[in-house]
Amino acid sequence: MKSILIERLGLVGANVAAVGMLGASPCFGQGASTAAVPEARPADSDPIQTLVGRLDLEKYKATIEALTQFGDRRQGTARNRAAIDWIEARLRSDGCTNTARLKYAYFPTDRQLPSGPPIARGAHAAVGGARYRGIQAPTGVNTDPLRQPDEKLRALNSEPATPGPREEVYCTKIGTRHPQEMYIVGAHMDGHGWGEAANDDGSGAALVMELARVFASPDVQTERSIRFVLWNNEETGLNGSWAYVAQRAALQGREDPPGSGKYPEPKWLGMIQHDMMLFDHGMPRADGTVSKEQRPEADVNIEFQSTAKRAEGAQQLAWAFYAANEAYATDYPAAVGPHMTNTDSTPFMDLVPAISLRESERGREIGAGWDPHWHQPTDLYATFTDPDFRLGLNAAQTSLGAIARLCGATVVK
Ligand SMILES: [Zn+2]
């Protein structure tokens, strides 16, 4: 099996350890025509296993909890700006010291760019091209402060958004051999609904920060670069990620200043978004209620968008993440689906392979009410239990393993 795979990937004569490194060819979609899933078991001396082992459930939980001190972190408020300052300080103290901020402006009256592909609507149509099955429960965004019973949290969340300037923070692990190429690893740090945005998207933001911490360690080298981005304004229509694409797409791969070996915007090899990582309790029951327990068969949902111009490459990227889950995730498996939508990967999906990781599929599952805390006052750190947090940790193990393979990570003495 392995040798067939090596041949198919054009890796004849390569070290078997490279089997997992689909990213040895950064141009997804131009190589193997079928999705090749490498066999999963890492070698005993696998440096990537060492890196995955540096993720920790308690650290992940602590980062989510720390983000909730800023309430729902709604864009255009002081609590949102304070959260960005805190995230930047934390990235720097974790060793990711080359932080930068993208600046843009947001006005609700601006023309909104799409949050997903245009999809024909039918009786069972869900966003992203998915199809509803079984029982659906209502979803929506809570806008009523009085539904937040915690008066302190209600007060913290009380400042409304003001239109105007916005910022979002990122930092970059610079590649040693190919600094001019990078994968983008993202999550959105803003939220709404009068809770603490613990799951949406404290869970994704904390995942990205934990990966930044592990890769920033001085004994870790990667051949390619990795950019960690904490998007703002996701909840208003992906405005922060649309602004990034508008400002920076044309800068890709340029050495600046010439001859410096510095690439302010390395060429994009792929974009991986993390959004709501914790809660997979299954379909609502006939009465609309959802199980209080994480279902034992919970999984990490990896989605690409089949209508994207770069769908073929995105699909291969999705399978590379699936394979990394098989190799490195301790508790929960992964599933791949073709209906990625309503996520900060959308602005990238026609330009580069783009995927999202979530607790459930966005269209037919989250969109059908599988997560009753979504955009609600109950999206609180205290709502979730260790089996929930562990699903997020497994997504972190999946993404760390996949990105480490794709970027050629090693641990140096
Ligand atoms: Zn979200």
Side-chain angles (χ1 to χ4, degrees):
M1 177 62 197
K2 266 185 182 161
S3 61
I4 293 165
L5 189 60
I6 288 168
E7 271 175 36
R8 193 190 294 167
L9 293 173
L11 296 174
V12 177
N15 187 310
V16 172
V19 167
M21 293 177 55
L22 282 168
S25 160
C27 303
F28 280 100
Q30 294 170 14
S33 60
T34 54
V37 181
E39 287 189 1
R41 291 294 119 202
D44 288 343
S45 58
D46 181 4
I48 298 174
Q49 188 70 66
T50 304
L51 300 184
V52 172
R54 294 177 181 179
L55 293 169
D56 175 83
L57 184 65
E58 293 308 318
K59 280 197 176 105
Y60 177 57
K61 287 166 62 179
T63 306
I64 297 173
E65 188 174 19
L67 284 162
T68 65
Q69 71 184 289
F70 305 101
D72 66 6
R73 305 182 298 283
R74 179 189 291 266
Q75 57 81 32
T77 63
R79 62 190 182 279
N80 174 275
R81 292 188 290 275
I84 295 169
D85 290 345
W86 180 84
I87 289 168
E88 180 165 21
R90 173 65 184 272
L91 290 170
R92 295 180 73 85
S93 75
D94 280 342
C96 209
T97 53
N98 58 2
T99 55
R101 292 193 185 200
L102 186 96
K103 298 187 168 127
Y104 61 100
Y106 172 69
F107 295 90
T109 49
D110 287 350
R111 185 175 68 91
Q112 293 287 294
L113 293 164
S115 292
I119 299 288
R121 305 294 299 178
H124 303 285
V127 291
R131 181 180 161 195
Y132 289 126
R133 313 275 183 161
I135 298 160
Q136 289 170 244
T139 62
V141 179
N142 174 56
T143 56
D144 179 3
L146 296 178
R147 288 194 53 227
Q148 177 49 260
D150 178 340
E151 287 179 24
K152 223 172 124 190
L153 180 56
R154 196 193 306 159
L156 177 62
N157 284 336
S158 62
E159 186 203 347
T162 305
R166 299 283 185 273
E167 296 187 5
E168 60 197 5
V169 66
Y170 58 88
C171 71
T172 310
K173 171 79 176 178
I174 312 266
T176 50
R177 275 186 64 188
H178 306 287
Q180 75 282 14
E181 298 177 351
M182 71 173 172
Y183 284 87
I184 302 173
V185 176
H188 72 90
M189 50 70 63
D190 67 310
H192 57 182
W194 293 87
E196 291 175 335
N199 188 25
D200 186 11
D201 190 20
S203 63
L207 183 158
V208 170
M209 294 171 68
E210 290 298 296
L211 262 58
R213 172 179 66 77
V214 171
F215 280 109
S217 174
D219 66 346
V220 177
Q221 275 186 7
T222 59
E223 295 189 348
R224 296 192 165 77
S225 300
I226 312 164
R227 178 157 292 172
F228 304 94
V229 190
L230 286 306
W231 310 108
N232 202 352
N233 275 94
E234 192 271 355
E235 299 290 8
T236 51
L238 322 180
N239 309 87
S241 49
W242 276 116
Y244 184 98
V245 170
Q247 291 184 30
R248 303 196 66 83
L251 307 177
Q252 288 180 71
R254 273 197 214 158
E255 192 180 31
D256 184 23
S260 65
K262 292 192 171 137
Y263 298 87
E265 191 66 24
K267 178 176 162 23
W268 306 342
L269 301 180
M271 157 69 187
I272 301 96
Q273 173 76 356
H274 303 83
D275 192 357
M276 299 172 68
M277 312 312 301
L278 304 183
F279 191 93
D280 187 0
H281 294 207
M283 185 181 284
R285 307 180 186 104
D287 66 359
T289 60
V290 174
S291 168
K292 294 232 180 304
E293 313 290 331
Q294 187 82 295
R295 56 176 182 157
E297 62 273 25
D299 55 12
V300 177
N301 288 87
I302 303 165
E303 296 184 273
F304 65 97
Q305 176 47 252
S306 60
T307 67
K309 288 196 181 124
R310 301 302 302 274
E312 188 183 343
Q315 178 177 180
Q316 290 197 31
L317 184 60
W319 285 117
F321 274 66
Y322 183 100
N325 171 278
E326 294 277 81
Y328 300 113
T330 47
D331 309 280
Y332 295 105
V336 171
H339 300 308
M340 180 189 84
T341 189
N342 292 71
T343 188
D344 288 311
S345 284
T346 302
F348 292 85
M349 71 182 186
D350 287 337
L351 306 174
V352 290
I355 60 172
S356 70
L357 275 68
R358 294 195 199 248
E359 61 194 15
S360 297
E361 289 192 12
R362 171 62 182 80
R364 71 170 183 181
E365 295 176 347
I366 296 173
W370 286 36
D371 187 338
H373 309 295
W374 183 35
H375 298 160
Q376 298 303 309
T378 52
D379 187 355
L380 308 171
Y381 179 75
T383 295
F384 302 98
T385 63
D386 274 4
D388 299 324
F389 291 117
R390 193 164 283 116
L391 181 62
L393 182 75
N394 275 247
Q397 294 165 335
T398 301
S399 279
L400 195 154
I403 291 292
R405 283 176 167 180
L406 293 168
C407 294
T410 49
V411 181
V412 294
K413 291 267 149 59

